[in-house]
Amino acid sequence: MPCFVPFSNRNLDISFFVFRPVGLFSDELIEALKYFSFCCEDHGCTYSSVFKSIHGNLVIWYGAWLKRSNEKKKQLTATLISALANISNLAVLMDYGFFESYAGESKDGHPAAKFSSGDTISMCSMLPCSDDLSDLSYACLAVLKSCFLKMEGVSAGVCFRCHDRPRVACLHVWKSLHSCYAWFLSSNYRKTLSPFLDHLYVDIKYDVFRVVYVSSDDTLNLRVFPPSPTLANGEAVKRGGESGV
């Protein structure tokens, strides 16, 4: 089964944790995050996945959770950060947070973005000029609605708003890495789309990722951790600066 990112926040909360591997430990980090996904199921995580940057050095853990109150989301975040202390020797936690999906499109009409291990995902994150997300959120929605059907090789796109800090993010699932590159090399982005967005954000980060794991994968390699640790223990993980999501 594939992993899903919903187009609305009606039934699920979604979270992203962004890591920068320490040294050459990206493979060990990915194995550790697989085990982290396994543990998160006991806390209401219904779908999870790991993305690895193709050209950079970021690794992202994505989780979709059963809906809960804002207070319980804060408690869950604290629990997850505590658990991630177990991998502080493998990576620096650059950023994290809960997001809400507020818009999405798919070529197959499904109300969620679907992806599996091996798929290509592009993501961008924008920091607005003010604490008010409405203008930037609307602009990203308008760009998605006006461009999606013209984007060859894309299967789905989603827009997010962050609960924890002013930030807007977008995710696209591509049929191949070639399709992703072809679109960005051939599209007239700077001339047609930049004028709608440039005056609304002060910082933008962009990256292309390979999906290296989804929670429905049959094989779970537990080399990094023994089966005994729980998500309830651990100290706060080392945190770095802001990241691309």
Side-chain angles (χ1 to χ4, degrees):
M1 290 181 59
C3 193
F4 295 87
V5 179
F7 290 165
S8 73
N9 67 335
R10 185 185 314 168
N11 299 317
L12 295 172
D13 294 316
I14 62 174
S15 64
F16 293 96
F17 286 75
V18 183
F19 301 89
R20 188 183 70 230
V22 174
L24 302 176
F25 293 126
S26 61
D27 290 342
E28 289 88 342
L29 174 62
I30 290 168
E31 294 300 324
L33 292 176
K34 291 179 183 180
Y35 182 78
F36 180 68
S37 290
F38 176 74
C39 294
C40 285
E41 293 178 6
D42 290 337
H43 291 257
C45 187
T46 58
Y47 301 104
S48 62
S49 183
V50 180
F51 313 149
K52 182 179 179 181
S53 174
I54 292 176
H55 299 292
N57 64 344
L58 295 182
V59 174
I60 295 179
W61 184 87
Y62 159 75
W65 306 81
L66 298 176
K67 291 288 290 184
R68 63 198 70 204
S69 67
N70 288 336
E71 184 60 33
K72 289 187 176 180
K73 279 201 284 282
K74 291 179 182 179
Q75 295 173 1
L76 175 61
T77 298
T79 300
L80 298 177
I81 294 299
S82 179
L84 288 170
N86 289 309
I87 63 173
S88 60
N89 63 314
L90 300 177
V92 175
L93 179 59
M94 302 295 292
D95 200 7
Y96 60 88
F98 274 91
F99 289 72
E100 65 172 7
S101 302
Y102 68 90
E105 295 281 350
S106 66
K107 292 291 178 72
D108 62 3
H110 199 278
K114 299 183 294 183
F115 53 86
S116 302
S117 293
D119 285 349
T120 299
I121 285 178
S122 62
M123 297 188 70
C124 71
S125 169
M126 288 166 280
L127 191 66
C129 294
S130 68
D131 290 341
D132 185 2
L133 292 179
S134 56
D135 289 342
L136 183 56
S137 297
Y138 181 79
C140 290
L141 169 63
V143 169
L144 177 68
K145 293 294 185 181
S146 63
C147 294
F148 183 76
L149 292 179
K150 304 173 186 176
M151 297 172 69
E152 295 183 6
V154 72
S155 58
V158 196
C159 296
F160 312 103
R161 287 184 290 249
C162 185
H163 285 298
D164 307 299
R165 59 185 65 88
R167 179 166 305 202
V168 176
C170 300
L171 177 152
H172 287 86
V173 182
W174 297 87
K175 296 178 181 178
S176 68
L177 182 60
H178 173 77
S179 298
C180 178
Y181 289 156
W183 166 256
F184 287 107
L185 290 174
S186 63
S187 64
N188 200 359
Y189 174 80
R190 291 187 178 276
K191 189 174 182 179
T192 60
L193 300 182
S194 288
F196 293 98
L197 297 172
D198 285 352
H199 65 291
L200 298 175
Y201 64 79
V202 294
D203 184 45
I204 184 170
K205 293 182 174 65
Y206 178 85
D207 209 340
V208 179
F209 298 85
R210 179 78 68 193
V211 179
V212 294
Y213 169 77
V214 299
S215 53
S216 57
D217 286 346
D218 293 332
T219 303
L220 181 64
N221 190 331
L222 303 182
R223 292 182 304 175
V224 177
F225 297 126
S228 56
T230 67
L231 287 175
N233 299 315
E235 298 177 357
V237 70
K238 180 180 178 183
R239 185 176 181 191
E242 294 302 315
S243 75
V245 175

